[in-house]
Amino acid sequence: MSSTYERRRLVAPLIAIAALIYWFAVRPWHLRWGATDEESNGSLPGDGLLRDPESEVTHAVTIDAPVEEVWPWLVQIGQGRGGFYSYDWLENLVGADIHNADRILPAHQDLEVGDTVRLAPEDYSVQTPESAPEVAVLDPERAIVLQPPGESPRWTWAFVLRPLDDETTRFVARMRSHGKQDIAGRAADVLFWEPAHFVMERKMLLGVKERVESSKYGTRKNVNRA
């Protein structure tokens, strides 16, 4: 009896310490992984689509290639298109049917405002408007912003390219969202959805970087060959 009580006395402070470390150190780090202060605090295309978000996540990576070489990989994202360059095996565990492209796909280089960029197939078992966001902002070789259709969408997802010079590009991704209203929902957002989004989006940024740099300056050649 006393040993069980002692263990509980030890566990409670450890949980409290872990929670404080996560909240004050780990969470701020992963919410802005790779992003500079200017990128995290500054405005990006699409910010005005969602007023007063409860959560804003900004991630970024530097790609050693010009913007025009990065854009073709970005513009073809989506389920049934070029994929999302992340952990497709994880996405496919939940039936998302994602297949990440390792080359430029000419058939998916045209994208317009209002087009759907699916996160899961049309016959997905848990079909919601959020699984089929639309292009809300499209600025060629600069930005794509996705947003679920409807009158009160919960989130926006922006992908922005910024040239540092003629040979280097910053790829910045930002998700802004309205969280759940109940305590359990907010806890799930913080403890599960935010870390999951970080893991998948970090891999996406690095996946684009790897593909662009491995075929550096070979985009036009790849398009013609495909």
Side-chain angles (χ1 to χ4, degrees):
M1 188 82 160
S2 62
S3 62
T4 301
Y5 176 72
E6 289 298 325
R7 282 198 298 271
R8 288 177 178 173
R9 286 186 60 191
L10 289 172
V11 168
L14 290 176
I15 292 175
I17 291 171
L20 290 172
I21 291 174
Y22 177 76
W23 186 262
F24 289 105
V26 178
R27 185 171 181 263
W29 168 77
H30 77 63
L31 288 181
R32 49 172 294 175
W33 176 85
T36 64
D37 290 341
E38 180 182 0
E39 289 164 342
S40 294
N41 300 326
S43 63
L44 290 179
D47 280 358
L49 296 173
L50 195 71
R51 299 294 183 181
D52 301 318
E54 294 168 1
S55 175
E56 182 175 282
V57 180
T58 306
H59 299 140
V61 71
T62 299
I63 300 177
D64 293 327
V67 167
E68 61 268 22
E69 297 296 330
V70 183
W71 178 256
W73 294 94
L74 180 58
V75 78
Q76 67 184 21
I77 61 169
Q79 189 276 333
R81 295 166 57 83
F84 291 96
Y85 314 117
S86 189
Y87 298 106
D88 54 358
W89 64 273
L90 280 175
E91 292 164 322
N92 293 331
L93 279 178
V94 295
D97 192 28
I98 301 293
H99 304 280
N100 295 324
D102 287 318
R103 63 184 179 89
I104 301 302
L105 304 174
H108 298 301
Q109 290 300 300
D110 295 322
L111 198 64
E112 298 180 358
V113 170
D115 285 353
T116 296
V117 176
R118 304 192 65 86
L119 309 183
E122 291 188 54
D123 59 354
Y124 191 57
S125 58
V126 189
Q127 191 64 238
T128 71
E130 296 193 358
S131 63
E134 297 175 349
V135 178
V137 175
L138 181 72
D139 189 350
E141 296 192 354
R142 180 167 181 254
I144 297 172
V145 183
L146 304 181
Q147 185 176 48
E151 295 183 0
S152 302
R154 286 188 56 242
W155 52 264
T156 58
W157 197 8
F159 307 100
V160 180
L161 302 181
R162 288 180 164 173
L164 294 181
D165 54 43
D166 291 342
E167 306 294 334
T168 315
T169 300
R170 285 292 281 175
F171 178 18
V172 185
R174 171 174 290 169
M175 177 165 278
R176 307 174 91 234
S177 61
H178 292 306
K180 309 283 195 316
Q181 296 303 310
D182 58 294
I183 294 177
R186 291 185 179 182
D189 284 343
V190 171
L191 298 176
F192 177 73
W193 291 113
E194 285 182 358
H197 177 73
F198 162 65
V199 169
M200 299 303 289
E201 186 165 88
R202 175 182 178 274
K203 178 61 174 176
M204 177 188 184
L205 295 174
L206 294 175
V208 172
K209 174 181 172 68
E210 178 184 2
R211 286 166 173 79
V212 174
E213 292 181 353
S214 66
S215 60
K216 193 172 182 181
Y217 309 119
T219 297
R220 295 181 183 84
K221 180 174 66 177
N222 290 343
V223 169
N224 292 334
R225 183 189 301 167

